[in-house]
């Protein structure tokens, strides 16, 4: 009786998306690469991840000068009046001056306080801890001008929870 050789087993290789790669092919075809890139972009759009912080935003009223960023110089203030004072977490030893943050109200103690789907961009012009006008709540991550606060929430509220990310 002649001996038969056992078939040689080859491990199956898988691509990034677990599609089997044929052992006789070394590279994926262009349509496969295109489909994988398209699938990756679709997943990125469906599962949109943001690198944002969540914290409390308070508000403060005039007078806004002098500031920790520019003293008595009003030129750093944007004409839109969408500005803020940085809380200690964002202050970064003064490096926060001039930074811009995208801010969105996400909740408040009183239902209906947040303005739905309103997002603003504020410019940091001061330090909350040393601002001339005191914030409506101590320890806030951001202290918004009355205009900025009113753009995302009911101005009669003292504070709201916000999502914010540097632009």
């Amino acid at each position: 009786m002649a001996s038969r050789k056992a078939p040689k087993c080859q491990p199956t290789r898988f691509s990034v998306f677990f599609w089997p790669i044929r052992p006789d092919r070394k590279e994926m075809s262009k349509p496969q690469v295109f489909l994988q890139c398209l699938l990756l972009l679709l997943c990125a759009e469906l599962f949109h991840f943001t690198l944002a912080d969540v914290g409390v935003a308070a508000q403060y009223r005039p007078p806004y000068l002098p500031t920790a960023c520019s003293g008595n110089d009003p030129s750093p203030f944007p004409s839109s009046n969408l500005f803020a004072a940085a809380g200690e977490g964002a202050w970064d030893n003064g490096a926060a001056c001039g930074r811009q943050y995208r801010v969105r109200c996400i909740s408040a103690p009183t239902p209906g306080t947040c303005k739905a789907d309103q997002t603003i961009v504020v410019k940091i012009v001061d330090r909350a801890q040393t601002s001339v006008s005191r914030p409506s709540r101590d320890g806030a991550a951001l202290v918004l001008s009355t205009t900025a606060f009113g753009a995302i929430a009911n101005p009669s509220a003292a504070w709201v929870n916000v999502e914010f990310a540097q632009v």
Side-chain angles (χ1 to χ4, degrees):
M1 182 184 292
S3 67
R4 265 182 21 189
K5 285 186 174 179
K8 188 174 181 180
C9 294
Q10 291 191 5
T12 304
R13 296 181 335 187
F14 290 93
S15 72
V16 175
F17 294 104
F18 300 103
W19 290 335
I21 298 173
R22 291 180 33 191
D24 59 334
R25 289 195 182 171
K26 300 255 189 239
E27 297 177 9
M28 290 186 289
S29 67
K30 287 183 181 180
Q32 282 179 320
V33 171
F34 176 75
L35 286 173
Q36 286 185 350
C37 288
L38 189 63
L39 182 63
L40 182 64
L41 288 173
L42 179 65
C43 288
E45 186 62 31
L46 288 175
F47 302 105
H48 183 73
F49 295 105
T50 60
L51 297 175
D53 290 314
V54 174
V56 171
Q59 61 177 313
Y60 70 137
R61 302 183 187 289
Y64 298 118
L65 290 174
T67 69
C69 292
S70 62
N72 285 311
D73 182 10
S75 64
F77 288 82
S79 59
S80 64
N81 287 324
L82 298 177
F83 58 88
E88 290 307 294
W91 178 242
D92 196 16
N93 287 330
C97 293
R99 285 184 186 159
Q100 294 187 340
Y101 287 90
R102 181 169 287 115
V103 183
R104 178 176 70 96
C105 181
I106 54 175
S107 68
T110 306
T113 300
C114 291
K115 293 184 179 176
D117 300 322
Q118 290 296 314
T119 302
I120 59 171
V121 175
V122 295
K123 181 178 179 182
I124 301 298
V125 297
D126 202 356
R127 180 181 187 185
Q129 191 176 33
T130 60
S131 63
V132 174
S133 176
R134 300 310 309 147
S136 58
R137 178 177 168 163
D138 288 331
L142 294 173
V143 181
L144 306 174
S145 66
T146 54
T147 304
F149 193 90
I152 61 168
N154 183 334
S156 65
W159 60 273
V160 293
N161 293 311
V162 293
E163 177 184 72
F164 61 101
Q166 188 175 345
V167 177

